Amino acid sequence: MKTPFSNTLDQLAPSGIRRFFDMILDSKDIVSLGIGEPDFSTPKSIINRVKKTLDEGRTSYTSNTGMIELREEIAKYMQKKLKCSYDPKDEVFITMGVSEGADLTLRAILNPGDEVIFPEPGYVCYPPLITLAGGKVVSVDTTKTNFIPTADIIKEKTTPNTKAIVLCTPNNPTGTVIPTNTLKEIAQLAKKHDFWVITDEIYAEIIFDNYQYDTIASFEGMKERTLVLSGFSKAFAMTGWRLGYICGPKEFIERALKIHQYSALCAPIMSQYAAIEALQNGLGDVERMRLAYEERRNLLIGGLRSIGIEVIKPEGAFYCFPSIKGTGLTSEEFSVKLLQQEKCAVIPGNGFGQAGEGYVRCCFASSNANIEEALIRIEKFYKSIKKGDTHA
Ligand SMILES: Cc1ncc(COP(=O)(O)O)c(C=O)c1O
């Protein structure tokens, strides 16, 4: 074999996050603000409902697009929460997590050479998936606009080859929510230059301080060019169930289905039952967890600021993205030394794109006691850098 493997894969760098986690896996006594997943387990009512369906022997394949009962629940939810009306028959599509949804979406719309605008720092999966789908990643640096992808900075990167933009609100890794006015300006741009908007709203249920939350899909003329990706992993503490969905125009769903029906067939039926229960009876649990995240956010932000670390207060999700530029260390050096000296894990910001250099991601989906201990360790480390006695 002259070329045993796909040449495209040689263009992809391994995930910075994964690489970092491999480093900490074997270490003991680590206090982690690292991995981005709820520390809660899935609410009991969801688990009990699934146990019951298993006892009833419901273990088959489902329709390729997912169970109609679930698609109906999602359509109701989208209408009630986001004022967006989708036909459950052909505008809602069940995927194996937002991860599969993102892959299908990009593969369904991109042709070789199409450009996709990607605000950075941003969620790690998008640049590699754009490349795998034959597209070209066009990064937009949001660090000078408080991590908001404003219409002005997007406009600068728009060309006749722009096929789509990826928005993520609230954002991973910054926790920023895109303000409604900015969304309206981006919508104007998308209509004027005729491109798709892919909007990853997996954290839409985790919003703090009653911050106004809107989806760009709800604005006039946007439903037909917006692909909403969402799922159950974060808000419902269901990362292991691997369940998500896409809402979008029928013509798009038909294309995405062509890939999914051959590569996946359908999402697991147990997880689909879990999602039905989540939407019917789980929103109270979501609120309980959201309140806990809000309290933890306040604890972490207050603590970081009192150490003298600059950080923007996130309006949603469970991440903050403090600047470590004052230390003179790179993101990677800061994270590795903090881990080695104080056994405290954060994620280097450059894993979220070059614009993330000079920052680290801290996840506050962790107990108050853990966050307090992490703050003690970060402060000790910070003081040691200021004195210039970090270990080489
Ligand atoms: C913005 C964003 N989208 C998608 C995902 C993956 O979601 P899922 O578990 O539904 O595949 C994550 C996970 O961290 C995320 O942060």
Side-chain angles (χ1 to χ4, degrees), residues 83-381:
K83 298 174 201 65
C84 274
S85 140
Y86 289 100
D87 186 335
K89 279 202 298 299
D90 44 27
E91 294 180 329
V92 180
F93 179 35
I94 310 302
T95 59
M96 292 185 295
V98 171
S99 304
E100 194 214 5
D103 185 30
L104 290 179
T105 299
L106 291 160
R107 287 204 275 160
I109 64 170
L110 292 183
N111 288 308
D114 282 347
E115 294 176 2
V116 181
I117 296 179
F118 180 62
E120 284 183 1
Y123 180 54
V124 289
C125 88
Y126 288 101
L129 291 182
I130 293 165
T131 306
L132 284 172
K136 184 175 163 221
V137 182
V138 177
S139 304
V140 170
D141 181 342
T142 63
T143 53
K144 292 186 183 62
T145 49
N146 291 331
F147 303 132
I148 304 289
T150 63
D152 281 346
I153 60 173
I154 294 167
K155 196 156 54 184
E156 280 172 23
K157 297 289 177 103
T158 306
T159 76
N161 295 328
T162 303
K163 185 67 167 283
I165 184 171
V166 177
L167 303 178
C168 179
T169 179
N171 179 267
N172 177 4
T174 64
T176 324
V177 174
I178 305 177
T180 302
N181 274 345
T182 305
L183 287 177
K184 285 190 174 152
E185 288 166 9
I186 298 173
Q188 291 308 330
L189 215 56
K191 285 189 273 190
K192 182 168 170 210
H193 295 277
D194 195 22
F195 56 75
W196 290 103
V197 177
I198 300 167
T199 174
D200 180 334
E201 306 193 359
I202 193 165
Y203 297 100
E205 280 290 341
I206 309 173
I207 301 288
F208 308 128
D209 310 320
N210 292 318
Y211 197 85
Q212 168 86 20
Y213 186 83
D214 286 296
T215 177
I216 196 165
S218 65
F219 303 146
E220 207 193 322
M222 286 307 290
K223 189 185 153 188
E224 55 265 40
R225 62 174 64 253
T226 304
L227 308 166
V228 183
L229 308 185
S230 196
F232 296 83
S233 287
K234 311 292 178 169
F236 295 92
M238 286 173 58
T239 47
W241 299 79
R242 312 305 309 125
L243 206 77
Y245 55 91
I246 313 176
C247 296
K250 177 172 180 275
E251 298 70 25
F252 161 81
I253 301 283
E254 280 166 8
R255 265 73 178 188
L257 185 60
K258 283 190 184 177
I259 310 169
H260 176 82
Q261 71 189 357
Y262 297 122
S263 61
L265 237 165
C266 66
I269 188 170
M270 308 80 178
S271 304
Q272 295 193 52
Y273 277 119
I276 292 173
E277 175 66 21
L279 289 174
Q280 286 176 345
N281 299 308
L283 287 163
D285 288 303
V286 170
E287 177 59 7
R288 169 178 57 81
M289 293 186 269
R290 189 199 65 77
L291 282 170
Y293 296 138
E294 185 160 323
E295 189 187 327
R296 295 160 177 195
R297 175 204 59 169
N298 295 343
L299 180 64
L300 182 60
I301 297 292
L304 290 172
R305 285 181 176 166
S306 72
I307 296 169
I309 299 177
E310 229 177 85
V311 58
I312 292 177
K313 196 175 188 181
E315 294 102 11
F318 35 59
Y319 309 107
C320 65
F321 206 57
S323 166
I324 48 101
K325 287 181 183 163
T327 64
L329 300 177
T330 64
S331 300
E332 195 103 10
E333 284 166 347
F334 183 97
S335 309
V336 170
K337 286 183 178 181
L338 175 63
L339 185 63
Q340 287 172 340
Q341 281 182 225
E342 299 300 334
K343 294 191 178 295
C344 177
V346 296
I347 302 290
N350 61 335
F352 303 92
Q354 208 36 54
E357 182 51 58
Y359 299 84
V360 293
R361 188 190 77 178
C362 301
C363 172
F364 47 86
S366 190
S367 69
N368 285 7
N370 232 356
I371 293 171
E372 277 161 8
E373 180 57 32
L375 283 167
I376 291 170
R377 296 181 187 202
I378 292 171
E379 180 165 27
K380 205 164 149 220
F381 177 65

